[in-house]
Amino acid sequence: MDTALRGRRVLLVIGGGIAAYKSLDLIRRLRDAGAAVRVVMTAGAREFVTPLAAAALSGEKTYSDLFDGEDEAAIGHIRLARDADCVVVAPATANLMARMANGIADDLATAVLLATRLPILIAPAMNPAMWTHPATRRNLATLRADGVHVVGPGVGAMAESESGAGRMSEPLEIVAAAQALFAPGEGPLAGRRVLVTSGPTHEPIDPVRYVANRSSGRQGHAIAAAAARAGAAVTLVSGPVNLPDPPGVAVVHVETAREMEAAVRVALPCEIAIFAAAVADWRPARESGRKIKKDGAAPPPLALAENPDILAGVSAMETGRPALVVGFAAETNDVIENARAKRLRKGCDLIVANDVSQESGVAGGVMGGARNAVHLVDEAGVESWPEMDKEAVAERLVAALAARLSGREGGA
Ligand code: CTP
């Protein structure tokens, strides 16, 4: 079990959004992880959850009013801003982010946020249109530049029955991100941000059927875990897999390629992006809202539409492109030739190519199996590694990428 939060004091700022109900669970999860939690609520938050509920769960008084003489006498806002080890803002609404980014301190929560010099982690939550608005983009960039850490938001169905990026990360994801604040800053990737995609995507035909592939997510998850062990702050965007979330990694769960693309955009910027997911190249052109019935007629045709190429999109970014963009190639024949061509076509720096054919010789097969034999294909040439466990491939790949990154910076 991760002990990074044991004995730490977390000041939890709850903003005024519907996701505030999840923050009550977050209090419990933070305490389960060993932290003491003190809660500050905005006026908006009190419309969704009560200070009493937060106090019952945290075991401490909930603070909410800057001008409450009793509160200020008990513990002033400056002391609130100091008497903790970190501040977690969840949900961080668009309005709260805007006030933070502009140094506005017009209530207790924002006064504390302006006065504190502790590490701050925000878990944004808002409607997808607000999240993608240029004003929110600007505020997010400002907050990141100010050193604020961000977890999420997730992608998927929202309270207003809309879908897109904006859903607050799950409490356990927020706990993992808070733990990462205290992870010892050591290892070859300390201070670096790494993004990994993993698993298959599921492309719905109707509410019960989908198009998918055999990817288990094992290689991608192992890479995310290895990057975290190397000291990086890792975001793993995972399709549906039967694997536990790797420890110390912020995981965003998605289903479809389009959700994966949106979650990847949210997770940027980063120094290294590794696209290990087996993204479905196509999705059913029309998703039926109702289960398609077998009504005696001919089988329905399955028309397909092309999915966005996430790897190619990130490789082609003009501003904010990760320093190292790594793609995977699953090939059944002419592995190296195809990987070379794929690297050029997709515009990435490196391709990790593996032979997924039955004839590959890898015990148990590569797709869904435990072992892998890969070739690293880059501008300079090809490096072929012997067959090994996916965990060993991950470890070695992360070490190789860390070396490349520092080599580049040294040479720049
Ligand atoms: N990839 C992606 N988005 C897609 C498809 C693929 O990000 N829509 C990424 C994968 O994560 C992987 C790489 O691209 O890193 C290779 O994917 P692959 O499906 O093998 O490449 P294709 O371009 O589909 O080539 P082909 O189907 O001809 O092998």
Side-chain angles (χ1 to χ4, degrees), residues 197 257 275-281 307-312 326-331 342 345-346 351:
T197 69
F275 294 88
V279 184
D281 289 322
N307 270 329
D309 191 319
I310 309 168
L311 168 63
V326 182
F328 270 68
E331 307 289 347
K342 194 168 283 181
R345 200 166 64 240
K346 301 226 179 192
I351 285 269

Side-chain angles (χ1 to χ4, degrees), residues 51-88:
L52 186 61
L57 287 161
S58 69
E60 289 208 36
K61 178 177 161 55
T62 302
Y63 297 86
S64 52
D65 195 346
L66 183 57
F67 304 109
D68 179 325
E70 219 176 282
D71 275 8
E72 275 293 309
I75 178 170
H77 65 279
I78 299 296
R79 241 185 76 201
L80 270 178
R82 285 188 190 146
D83 279 3
D85 297 302
C86 71
V87 184
V88 174

